Amino acid sequence: MRKILLILVALPVLAGLGWWYFHLRQIPSFDPAYHEYAYVTNGKSNTVSVIDLRSFRLARTLRVGSMPTGIAINPKKNEVYVANTGSANVSVVDAERNEVVATIGVHGAPYFIDISSDGTRAYVANSASANVSVIDLDKRAVIATVRVGNSPGLARVSPDGRTVVVSNRGSDSVSILDAKALSVRSTIPLCHEPTDVAILPDSSKAFLACSGSAQVASIDLRNDKLLTLLDVGKTPVALALKPDGGELIVCNFDSDNVSIIETSTDEVSGSYLVGTRPTRGLVSSDNSRLYVSNFGSNSVAVYDIDMGKVVATLPVGSQPDGLALSQSQQFLLVLDSQSGDVTVIQKRKPRKLEPGEYGLLTMVPAGVQPNNVVVKSFMLPAPK
């Protein structure tokens, strides 16, 4: 009987000690005025999931337009913008209240939205209308519609706000817009089916992934000319630029690898296996780590850029797609498009019984087919 009682007492104690040791306790305490949210577009639920990144819980589910896909934050005010592909409009979300406060009509089948660095303009490529809608975000109104090539997938504004680069998937070309004149400055023929666009921090050069020809195009934005076509892996679908602009990572969906491009010399420095069907890439703010979602192997690869190798492979939910990092860079959010949830991975200091640098923190339910995510953090003003 004593042994049984001892076991009954010891088991909860041991379980408690185990929980204390293995539980991820590094979630920081926040100022009450500090808010940080992740916004997730759910393509088949017509909703946006709002996740509170102070508690890692679902805070709210917002009803937006039909088939929401692209999403972007305003860097200057607490607003989030959602491109609704099915209803051809943009939902404006007030991040302080987490409410949809306006809806702006655009044209056919917008997939992505990009915001100027001064927070005044939004650019939406309308893939079914062969044009780009330019939105004044203060007036919440379309101020121009610019004709471009066929099936424009993405309109990316340069960091200096002067140029907008539009990938014309159906025309195998790029349209370069003058953001001040709101007109097409140049149209340049490219490789087959250009999709994603990345622009260097100094706004001097743009890169476009051509998913139909296994190439990346380098464009001189000062002279509006094609510099070169770089051969990469099969079906390059996404580009991830290091914050310092020195290297560009290409996710090659059908080659199960990533290619790394030296942006100053326009050279492919190497290709590295990361997992099955890499879909998205994201580089940490200190330029040291690359995170890649592997759509076909239900995992995220962690690639150390300085060491030049994969240092961790992390299991996540089914068919991972979009990625985002918290403001602290300590938490990685992974959208699991098939299982309809968000995996939260924590970066931590390795310990004796937990030698890994990364661990699963939690999984947060989202809607059906989550596809894109952004993070917005801010301090609420003190009440008067």
Side-chain angles (χ1 to χ4, degrees):
M1 181 63 70
R2 287 183 178 178
K3 288 183 179 180
I4 294 173
L5 290 174
L6 183 61
I7 291 171
L8 291 174
V9 171
L11 280 176
V13 172
L14 290 172
L17 288 172
W19 180 89
W20 176 85
Y21 187 86
F22 288 105
H23 183 62
L24 303 182
R25 304 181 307 280
Q26 298 95 328
I27 297 176
S29 58
F30 295 101
D31 187 304
Y34 180 78
H35 290 71
E36 184 174 355
Y37 298 105
Y39 296 85
V40 178
T41 52
N42 302 304
K44 291 189 177 180
S45 294
N46 303 333
T47 60
V48 168
S49 298
V50 184
I51 300 172
D52 190 330
L53 296 187
R54 300 168 301 177
S55 61
F56 295 96
R57 295 178 179 175
L58 182 66
R60 188 166 293 186
T61 300
L62 306 177
R63 179 67 57 177
V64 291
S66 175
M67 294 174 58
T69 48
I71 189 166
I73 64 169
N74 192 311
K76 299 299 182 181
K77 56 184 176 181
N78 298 330
E79 289 186 346
V80 179
Y81 310 99
V82 183
N84 302 304
T85 306
S87 51
N89 55 25
V90 172
S91 299
V92 181
V93 176
D94 182 324
E96 295 182 12
R97 293 184 288 160
N98 281 323
E99 295 178 356
V100 176
V101 293
T103 302
I104 305 166
V106 288
H107 285 257
Y111 280 96
F112 297 99
I113 182 168
D114 200 24
I115 311 299
S116 61
S117 58
D118 64 3
T120 63
R121 294 273 180 88
Y123 298 90
V124 181
N126 304 300
S127 63
S129 302
N131 57 27
V132 171
S133 296
V134 183
I135 300 173
D136 184 313
L137 294 177
D138 293 325
K139 297 178 180 178
R140 293 178 180 168
V142 174
I143 57 173
T145 302
V146 183
R147 187 78 181 176
V148 292
N150 295 332
S151 303
L154 179 63
R156 181 83 71 197
V157 58
S158 61
D160 64 11
R162 298 176 181 176
T163 304
V164 182
V165 179
V166 185
S167 57
N168 301 314
R169 184 179 176 87
S171 298
D172 293 346
S173 66
V174 58
S175 296
I176 300 176
L177 278 56
D178 185 311
K180 184 176 181 180
L182 297 177
S183 62
V184 175
R185 194 171 75 201
S186 301
T187 300
I188 304 171
L190 290 183
C191 36
H192 190 40
E193 295 181 350
T195 51
D196 202 5
V197 179
I199 303 176
L200 295 187
D202 65 0
S203 303
S204 65
K205 193 184 289 188
F207 295 87
L208 291 91
C210 293
S211 60
S213 58
Q215 294 173 307
V216 169
S218 173
I219 306 293
D220 182 346
L221 294 181
R222 290 174 177 153
N223 299 296
D224 291 357
K225 69 176 184 179
L226 174 65
L227 294 173
T228 189
L229 295 175
L230 301 166
D231 293 328
V232 291
K234 295 178 182 178
T235 321
V237 292
L239 302 175
L241 186 67
K242 285 176 62 178
D244 64 12
E247 291 177 310
L248 179 72
I249 293 89
V250 187
C251 293
N252 303 311
F253 188 77
D254 286 319
S255 292
D256 299 340
N257 65 7
V258 296
S259 299
I260 297 182
I261 294 172
E262 300 292 336
T263 60
S264 60
T265 59
D266 286 343
E267 294 177 341
V268 179
S269 63
S271 296
Y272 306 89
L273 295 173
V274 291
T276 306
R277 297 196 167 182
T279 306
R280 304 283 186 97
L282 178 65
V283 181
S284 60
S285 61
D286 64 1
N287 300 288
S288 68
R289 290 288 168 90
L290 165 69
Y291 302 98
V292 180
S293 56
N294 294 309
F295 190 83
S297 52
N298 300 334
S299 66
V300 168
V302 183
Y303 179 87
D304 189 298
I305 295 174
D306 296 327
M307 295 173 62
K309 67 177 184 179
V310 173
V311 294
T313 299
L314 311 170
V316 292
S318 180
Q319 297 185 353
D321 191 0
L323 300 170
L325 282 163
S326 66
Q327 185 68 27
S328 68
Q329 305 283 293
Q330 296 301 304
F331 301 97
L332 175 69
L333 310 177
V334 185
L335 305 190
D336 304 314
S337 64
Q338 187 177 64
S339 50
D341 47 43
V342 179
T343 300
V344 181
I345 293 169
Q346 184 179 35
K347 186 179 181 183
R348 63 197 181 189
K349 291 182 178 180
R351 294 186 290 177
K352 188 173 182 179
L353 298 181
E354 289 180 309
E357 191 178 359
Y358 296 89
L360 173 67
L361 178 68
T362 189
M363 298 184 78
V364 183
V368 181
Q369 196 175 305
N371 45 48
N372 284 291
V373 56
V374 293
V375 170
K376 179 68 177 176
S377 61
F378 55 90
M379 296 286 291
L380 285 175
K384 295 180 180 180

